[in-house]
Amino acid sequence: MPPSTLTELRAEHVKFQGVTITDNLSWTSHLDAMGKKAQQHCLIFLWSLRKFSMSTSSQAQSPLTQNVTAIQGGTATLTCKVDQNDNTSLQWSNPAQQTLYFDDKKALRDNRIELVRSSWHELSINISDVTLSDEGQYTCSLFTMPVKTAKAFLIVLGVPQTPVISGFKGPVNEGDLVDLTCTTVGSKPAANIRWFKGDKEIQGVKEPDSKGKTFTVRSTLGLQVDRNDDGVAVSCSVDHESLRSSPQVAKQVLDIQYVPSVKIDFSRNFAREGDELRLECRATGNPTPEAVKWKKDGAELPDPDRMVVEGNVLIISALNKTDNGTYYCEAANTMGHNSAEYILFVYDPSALAGQSGPDHAVIGGVVAVVVFITLCLVIVLGRYLARHKGTYLTNEAKGAEDAPDADTAIINAEGSQANAEDKKEYFI
């Protein structure tokens, strides 16, 4: 219902404007001079005008905010803006509905909260060193009639701590199954863990566990190891949006024990009498193998004067045929022992020199084939020429009568044969 008296109108008008009513004294004088019915019509008109003015002002003055994401320990900026404002106050309050700032006036005693900007169109504040407890819905209020509000949700990301790898109790033996666990705490939302062996990514099993607002994340990895894994670094990397481009990494270097591997390298492919031969024994293992041992045909080296061992190298000088045989290099560690063998055959210097020259047998075979083919061609050509020469002499004898030369005789002979054939056909 509209106010029925001038006093109510004035009271409503003061409440609506928020200032003095001196601007409406002329209206008051007019109303006093009017009759009761006319005053009622004017009061209804003024009430409608007030309602329209409040509705227009309320629509024009609407605060705008945005949700904010901050990293734990970082700074969050809350901004409230008003496009059109007729000098109406702005206020920020926290999720507990405690006022933080009213215009440029600080209301809550918290040194972490500071004013960034205050005007009729904007109120911005900073919350530094944010914690997980700061997360929640903040309210910006614009004190119009009625009061307009806008909400901004502050999301605080929990930073995961540096991961730790557990479960490796090295060294372990080749062929064993190793179970590793990577653990990181304090992430929000739950972090992701990735496993790498060297530069190759491998899959683990992730197990997140909620601890209040944060998560403890574990990932387990099972590996059956061999000697190729010895000294290889296995790492787990924590990925989280709060870490951006610098993931946190933990590493574990594998220590795998295995039986030695043994190989013999030799200094020459052909050993001749009088030469020197060097045989190097390469032994690898974990633990590192002890000093290698050299044997010949399963027994000690027979000639220590010419067969000298320097470290893992056997040097045999002035080779002779008695050095022929099988030489063994043996290496051992706490995991076991292994050996490699080299079969030595000492060549006679002259025989080896003959082998190093051209292959005369092959050359002789090639020459024989060429000679055979040549003889065959000569025989075939001779028979061909002999056959044609006999035909020539026969024809010459037949036409020799009354012929001045051999060519004429052959022509006469061929002509006689043709006439004879014609005669045969004629008498038939």
Side-chain angles (χ1 to χ4, degrees):
M1 293 293 293
S4 57
T5 64
L6 180 60
T7 302
E8 293 179 9
L9 175 61
R10 288 175 179 173
E12 290 293 331
H13 190 63
V14 170
K15 183 178 180 182
F16 165 63
Q17 291 288 348
V19 293
T20 61
I21 60 171
T22 54
D23 294 336
N24 297 300
L25 291 178
S26 57
W27 281 97
T28 304
S29 301
H30 275 292
L31 288 171
D32 291 339
M34 292 180 182
K36 185 175 181 180
K37 189 173 183 179
Q39 286 180 358
Q40 290 178 349
H41 284 291
C42 287
L43 291 172
I44 292 173
F45 171 74
L46 290 174
W47 178 263
S48 300
L49 183 63
R50 169 186 177 277
K51 287 290 187 181
F52 175 77
S53 177
M54 290 180 62
S55 176
T56 303
S57 175
S58 175
Q59 292 176 0
Q61 300 178 33
S62 297
L64 300 175
T65 60
Q66 289 184 337
N67 294 335
V68 177
T69 300
I71 299 175
Q72 184 179 9
T75 300
T77 301
L78 300 174
T79 300
C80 179
K81 293 184 177 181
V82 180
D83 292 335
Q84 299 179 9
N85 190 356
D86 55 354
N87 300 341
T88 303
S89 295
L90 290 169
Q91 171 187 288
W92 271 114
S93 56
N94 63 15
Q97 297 304 312
Q98 296 172 315
T99 301
L100 303 179
Y101 265 89
F102 186 84
D103 288 338
D104 59 352
K105 305 297 189 298
K106 187 174 184 178
L108 187 66
R109 293 183 178 180
D110 189 338
N111 295 330
R112 300 179 304 125
I113 302 174
E114 297 178 347
L115 179 67
V116 177
R117 185 177 296 104
S118 176
S119 68
W120 297 118
H121 299 285
E122 179 181 345
L123 179 60
S124 297
I125 61 174
N126 275 348
I127 304 176
S128 60
D129 194 20
V130 294
T131 64
L132 297 177
S133 61
D134 293 323
E135 185 174 82
Q137 185 171 266
Y138 289 73
T139 304
C140 175
S141 301
L142 177 66
F143 285 91
T144 57
M145 289 298 295
V147 175
K148 289 285 188 178
T149 60
K151 307 294 184 179
F153 200 92
L154 173 60
I155 301 172
V156 180
L157 302 178
V159 181
Q161 296 182 11
T162 303
V164 176
I165 296 179
S166 59
F168 184 79
K169 299 177 182 179
V172 297
N173 297 335
E174 182 178 22
D176 287 351
L177 181 63
V178 176
D179 292 319
L180 302 178
T181 301
C182 181
T183 305
T184 180
V185 300
S187 61
K188 177 182 169 296
N192 184 43
I193 295 179
R194 301 165 63 195
W195 286 98
F196 295 87
K197 187 170 76 169
D199 296 330
K200 182 180 179 181
E201 184 172 359
I202 51 181
Q203 295 299 320
V205 179
K206 178 182 175 182
E207 301 174 359
D209 182 21
S210 177
K211 298 290 185 181
K213 290 187 176 182
T214 62
F215 289 85
T216 296
V217 183
R218 294 181 180 87
S219 181
T220 57
L221 177 68
L223 290 175
Q224 188 166 15
V225 295
D226 57 32
R227 63 186 59 201
N228 296 323
D229 296 324
D230 185 44
V232 174
V234 175
S235 59
C236 70
S237 173
V238 177
D239 294 337
H240 194 262
E241 52 188 309
S242 66
L243 300 175
R244 298 178 182 176
S245 60
S246 56
Q248 295 180 343
V249 179
K251 291 185 178 182
Q252 174 65 63
V253 178
L254 299 179
D255 186 4
I256 313 301
Q257 293 186 334
Y258 57 95
V259 176
S261 298
V262 185
K263 178 183 178 183
I264 297 177
D265 293 333
F266 42 87
S267 59
R268 56 178 69 246
N269 292 324
F270 295 99
R272 300 174 299 181
E273 286 186 294
D275 288 344
E276 178 185 275
L277 178 65
R278 300 174 68 91
L279 301 178
E280 183 178 2
C281 181
R282 296 184 178 275
T284 58
N286 185 17
T288 303
E290 302 168 0
V292 299
K293 294 181 180 180
W294 285 97
K295 293 183 179 181
K296 180 188 176 186
D297 298 329
E300 299 295 329
L301 296 175
D303 192 347
D305 293 334
R306 291 188 305 108
M307 300 176 178
V308 179
V309 177
E310 294 182 356
N312 61 339
V313 179
L314 171 62
I315 304 172
I316 307 175
S317 59
L319 289 171
N320 58 59
K321 294 295 182 68
T322 62
D323 296 329
N324 290 343
T326 303
Y327 290 80
Y328 295 91
C329 170
E330 297 180 351
N333 61 12
T334 56
M335 296 297 296
H337 62 88
N338 209 341
S339 64
E341 65 179 35
Y342 173 80
I343 300 176
L344 173 61
F345 184 83
V346 180
Y347 292 89
D348 183 77
S350 58
L352 194 59
Q355 290 184 2
S356 62
D359 194 337
H360 297 289
V362 174
I363 295 175
V366 172
V367 172
V369 171
V370 172
V371 171
F372 175 76
I373 294 175
T374 303
L375 289 175
C376 291
L377 290 175
V378 170
I379 292 172
V380 171
L381 183 60
R383 295 188 63 182
Y384 176 79
L385 292 176
R387 181 178 298 176
H388 280 271
K389 183 176 181 181
T391 303
Y392 178 82
L393 293 175
T394 302
N395 290 338
E396 182 182 3
K398 290 180 180 180
E401 300 176 357
D402 302 328
D405 51 33
D407 292 337
T408 304
I410 293 174
I411 294 172
N412 291 338
E414 292 177 353
S416 299
Q417 291 179 358
N419 292 334
E421 294 294 331
D422 291 341
K423 289 178 180 181
K424 286 182 180 181
E425 293 177 1
Y426 179 79
F427 289 106
I428 287 174

